[in-house]
Amino acid sequence: MSAHTSDDKTMSVKLIVWRQKGPNEPGRFETHLAKGITGHHSFLEMLDVVNEDLIKQGKDPIAFDHDCREGICGTCSTVVNGVPHGGQERTTLCQLHMRKFKDGDAIYLEPWRARAFPIIRDLVVDRGALDTLIQAAGYVSCHTGGVPDANAIPISKPDSDYAMDAAECIGCGACVAACPNGAAMLFAGAKVAQFAALPQGQVEAPERVAAMINAMKECGFGNCTNHYECQAACPKGIDVKFIARLNREFHKALFKAKAGAFIPLVEGE
Amino acid sequence: MRLLSDSIGRKAVVAVTGLFMVLFVVVHLLGNSTIFAGPDGINAYAEKLHGLGPFVWAFRAFMGVMLCLHVIFAILLTLENRAANPEKYAVKKMLKTTFAGETMIWTGLLLLAFIVYHLLQFTVRVTPDIVLGNDAKNRVDVFTMVFTSFRITPIVLVYVAAMITLFLHLSHGIQSIFQTIGLNNDKTMPQFGALGKVLSALFLVGYSAIPVLILAGILAK
């Protein structure tokens, strides 16, 4: 038996939650009291407690996204008090614990808000746009077959570390939710940078960056204005240097595209 | 890959045109500082500049194009960004951005208005405060023109306010140029940030010094 700590004390918090029945329904804030919460409850477990109470009362539970609850899948997606994932550095919402809150706190819960992420219900949004970006440009084309020999393609340690840092993205979309422009540049930048750093990805680098930028536009994401809110909100701490890399890859591709030939200035040319 | 319709292409246009304007701001400050050498300094400088004839007009045309592209694409991008984020949060806490970063479009539009006023005043010379004349060496007396205008308090206030606006715009804008054209990485990020802040502070002090010192009577004929 472990000793009792201050986390064992129960507390109540007031939740001001965005409720919306469907994609085209009007939404509104609803207030719920979360009672009997201890510091050991994760944020999502606290929501479970509230939902069990709502179900017992015959009311609709609060819809929210979650899956692994281990901080690695990127499914949880709620803006807590104005910060995606609640503002604890490099922490997904499922790993945020109620010991970070005080008895009687009022907590605002809102869904990711961006044109590219339509609300499905309450706090659940459709993040399919990120899948669209991956389908457009988040892969390398290669022949499948046997496992390649180790060290057949030499990759330096700095390059592999750089690519791994970019690959840490779990695709939760907090960067888009935090961005005042609803831009997906950190997500896209991490993908483009990850592949651009490795020999397997360099072959298709110009096509990839072009496809990525087109897909971002088609999905309705905004443009980057260098606020770096995305990096601050990212539960994996993805660096905005990857956005600079995306920009660099774009300019490289622009000059390489036609090898000195005419560079089209606008669509359709 | 399209320079003028792709997101990053448009941003690059804003960044590169912005870079040229920052370079102009540097040169313009150096030119203006000839006023500290008295009437002989700035009048001689102005005469030399006007003596360049067609080069002056080519330079003006180039800067005009830079300004227009910068403004047009910044407005287009801002409208796209507003459209991409139509539903605002009831509570939103910004973690990293600055007041300067959040107000770029507004400081930009204020600067545009200031540029129009500044050109009408000292280039076209049609505002009521302007005193035209020649100095003893029969050169256009720029010193007396500037000196007379900057003895008027409201004009000095407008100039200082505009320079504070420029400070805000560039303290975000300069580091932003390097990020957008892709020259940035995690090591250079704080350096470019510091460069932006130092340069914009220098511009604020350097440019404001002229009207303020004239109004205070420290820079006299």
Side-chain angles (χ1 to χ4, degrees), chain A residues 244-258:
Chain A
R245 180 65 181 260
L246 170 62
N247 295 337
R248 190 150 72 240
E249 291 297 322
F250 174 85
H251 302 312
K252 265 160 69 179
L254 200 62
F255 288 108
K256 217 194 239 173
K258 303 272 154 85

Side-chain angles (χ1 to χ4, degrees), chain A residues 30 32 50 60-61 68 79 90 106 126 153 160 165 170 172 191 194 215 217 219 238 241 247 254:
Chain A
E30 235 176 45
H32 296 281
V50 173
D60 269 346
C68 76
V79 174
R90 298 199 185 199
D126 180 0
I153 305 171
S160 88
D165 286 348
I170 53 175
C172 67
K191 287 290 159 267
Q194 178 195 333
K217 193 176 177 185
C219 290
I238 304 287
K241 71 179 176 189
N247 295 337
L254 200 62

Side-chain angles (χ1 to χ4, degrees), chain B residues 97-147:
Chain B
T97 190
T98 55
F99 175 74
E102 287 187 279
T103 52
M104 285 300 275
I105 187 70
W106 303 114
T107 51
L109 290 173
L110 283 173
L111 286 172
L112 179 65
F114 171 73
I115 291 168
V116 171
Y117 168 68
H118 182 58
L119 288 176
L120 287 175
Q121 189 179 29
F122 289 141
T123 307
V124 190
R125 297 168 187 173
V126 288
T127 52
D129 54 298
I130 288 300
V131 175
L132 287 172
N134 286 5
D135 65 3
K137 292 182 184 164
N138 207 28
R139 297 175 299 208
V140 176
D141 195 354
V142 176
F143 184 90
T144 307
M145 174 181 78
V146 171
F147 184 85

Side-chain angles (χ1 to χ4, degrees), chain A residues 82 110-111 113 115 177 180-181 210 214 223-229 240-241 244 247-248 251 265-267, chain B residues 1-2 4 7 11 77 80-81 84-85 89-91 93 95-97 101 172 175-176 179-180 182 186 189:
Chain A
E110 293 180 70
R113 291 194 193 276
R115 179 176 57 178
N181 311 325
N214 272 340
N223 312 293
C224 179
T225 43
N226 307 327
H227 294 289
Y228 311 139
E229 286 296 315
V240 291
K241 71 179 176 189
N247 295 337
R248 190 150 72 240
H251 302 312
L265 289 178
V266 290
E267 255 162 309
Chain B
M1 306 298 291
R2 296 167 294 259
L4 298 185
S7 166
K11 279 161 44 61
L77 287 166
E80 284 174 15
N81 292 343
N85 195 9
Y89 291 103
V91 177
K93 200 161 110 195
L95 300 173
K96 201 154 182 183
T97 190
H172 177 81
Q175 61 85 23
S176 217
Q179 173 77 0
T180 299
D186 48 345
M189 173 88 54

